[in-house]
Amino acid sequence: MRVAGTVRAPGDKSITHRALMLAALGRGVSHVGGALTSLDARSSARVLRQLGAEISPLRDGTVLTVTGRGRFRAPQRTLDCGNSGTTTRLLLGLLAGHRLRATLTGDASLRRRPMRRVTQPLAQMGARFEERGGDGLPLTVRGGRLRPLRHAMPVSSAQIKSALLLAGVVGEVAVDLLEPKGRSRDHTERMLQAFGYQVGERDGWIEFRPGGRIEPFDIQVPGDPSSAAFLVGTSILAEGGELRIAGVGLNPTRIGYLAVLQRMGARVSTDAADSSFGEPVADLIARPASLRGTEVTAGEIPGLIDEIPLLAVLASRGSGETIFRDVGELRVKESDRLSLIATNLRAVGGKAEVRGDDLHIEGVGLPPRGRVRTAADHRIAMAFAVLGTLPGARIAIDDMACAAVSFPGFPETLRRIRAGRSR
Ligand code: S3P
């Protein structure tokens, strides 16, 4: 199989959620170009409309218009966040500072995901929560006046961090946060700085100070480096050719996977560097490579948290062993990714094992063959679809439609780059 041509990754999921939320908070009309139109992005748009924002239909290739009212109004119905943890957790932070009552729910996967990591510190700030399903959804929030917060986070997580920073914005109070291991993605900090808020770092603590103001804005959302990773991975496994992925966001807190791939022997270069709304952007050029095993340290994990399924399938084709240290957080993603990566790799003839919170993968040479169970997790489906591009591979994936959670048209894009007829 060869790869060729130029493709665009879909808009960045994290930045799209944040842009929609901040635009809904501004008073007036904002424009969001290059927005992701996936199921997760639609979940954010749907609940923000229920909270009073007007958002034009999410269609590829159009610039979204978002009309915000300055504050949210009380929703008439339960807010259904679909499969999206980012929608839920960031919204909990925003709602904590609003004097209203709202109930949030989601699909079966999202209802199982832990929310106390966000609601406990928000409760310390003064918001009230009624749990209906233990540490998960459905959950009712009653927001109001907030107090400042100084909080050591239990895990390095951009969703927790952003929820608390956004509570600081709406409640106009100071928020100091400590991330335990490695720095999670910092899109929220960058956006808030663009609106005049002070967000700095002192002795390892992230310090947010009120004083800015969310005004209507225009943004061009870069391509999602996490979605681009699947195209990079396909190119690495190819037997020839070269693929250009245009306009990918290269925020340093998002591209830990490129450093790991380089250590493993891959050659991915960048070209046409630019920047958009405080975020670096460039084209990625990926080529085939033989990979060798590596150790991915605990401190590197937050910077490549979403790329572990893909890195794991690539490691299964490298020489020697790859170890991902301290990846217990994968158990509470859209699925129990830690166990699914290992069982699915074994199901297609690979060698993978979970030891404590570490994931060990041994490279193998035979073509991967077998059945993959995704538990409707988009990144598991896409990672194994990449593995399925190997010559001689025969992999049956139980649900490919779930890729639309973050990457609309993924199967078509994969076919296009393999045929070398990309656009
Ligand atoms: C995200 C943060 C990460 C990531 C998710 C998107 C965000 O989650 O896995 O896909 O946009 O803030 P955690 O913060 O829970 O690690």
Side-chain angles (χ1 to χ4, degrees), residues 13-15 17-18 86 89-90 113 117 156-160 162 184-185 187 305-306 329 333-334 337 379:
K13 181 155 80 69
S14 294
I15 296 176
H17 286 304
R18 287 158 173 79
T86 310
R89 295 192 176 120
L90 271 54
R113 297 180 66 184
R117 47 177 60 195
S156 294
S157 154
Q159 292 182 357
I160 305 178
S162 302
S184 65
R185 63 194 67 187
H187 304 300
I305 185 76
D306 289 340
E329 194 53 21
K333 289 292 175 189
E334 286 83 328
R337 273 188 192 158
R379 298 199 201 278

Side-chain angles (χ1 to χ4, degrees), residues 28-56:
V29 182
S30 294
H31 298 101
V32 186
L36 179 66
T37 59
S38 76
L39 296 178
D40 266 11
R42 286 170 197 275
S43 291
S44 275
R46 181 175 60 242
V47 298
L48 290 168
R49 289 185 188 115
Q50 285 180 266
L51 293 164
E54 283 172 36
I55 304 177
S56 61

Side-chain angles (χ1 to χ4, degrees), residues 102-181:
T103 300
L104 284 74
T105 192
D107 70 9
S109 145
L110 184 59
R111 288 200 302 271
R112 279 193 298 269
R113 297 180 66 184
M115 294 296 153
R116 283 184 192 150
R117 47 177 60 195
V118 175
T119 57
Q120 277 173 351
L122 288 174
Q124 260 184 59
M125 294 177 84
R128 282 181 289 170
F129 297 92
E130 293 159 30
E131 291 181 352
R132 311 261 188 90
D135 184 9
L137 298 180
L139 183 65
T140 299
V141 49
R142 265 196 290 160
R145 223 183 138 77
L146 299 180
R147 296 183 282 273
L149 176 76
R150 189 170 171 84
H151 177 64
M153 292 164 40
V155 282
S156 294
S157 154
Q159 292 182 357
I160 305 178
K161 178 175 65 177
S162 302
L164 301 173
L165 292 175
L166 292 174
V169 168
V170 181
E172 296 183 29
V173 292
V175 175
D176 296 346
L177 300 170
L178 185 67
E179 294 202 276
K181 266 181 211 155

Side-chain angles (χ1 to χ4, degrees), residues 234-313:
T234 307
S235 311
I236 289 173
L237 293 184
E239 293 159 302
E242 177 179 291
L243 182 70
R244 178 180 288 255
I245 310 156
V248 181
L250 293 186
N251 178 314
T253 60
R254 292 291 299 282
I255 53 169
Y257 75 93
L258 290 176
V260 169
L261 286 175
Q262 192 170 6
R263 231 157 58 215
M264 295 175 82
R267 293 174 301 143
V268 182
S269 49
T270 58
D271 187 32
D274 199 354
S275 84
S276 167
F277 219 84
E279 296 278 354
V281 178
D283 291 1
L284 287 180
I285 300 155
R287 305 173 186 87
S290 320
L291 301 178
R292 53 181 174 269
T294 188
E295 179 165 335
V296 184
T297 63
E300 286 182 296
I301 299 302
L304 48 74
I305 185 76
D306 289 340
E307 287 65 68
I308 297 170
L310 185 263
L311 289 173
V313 302

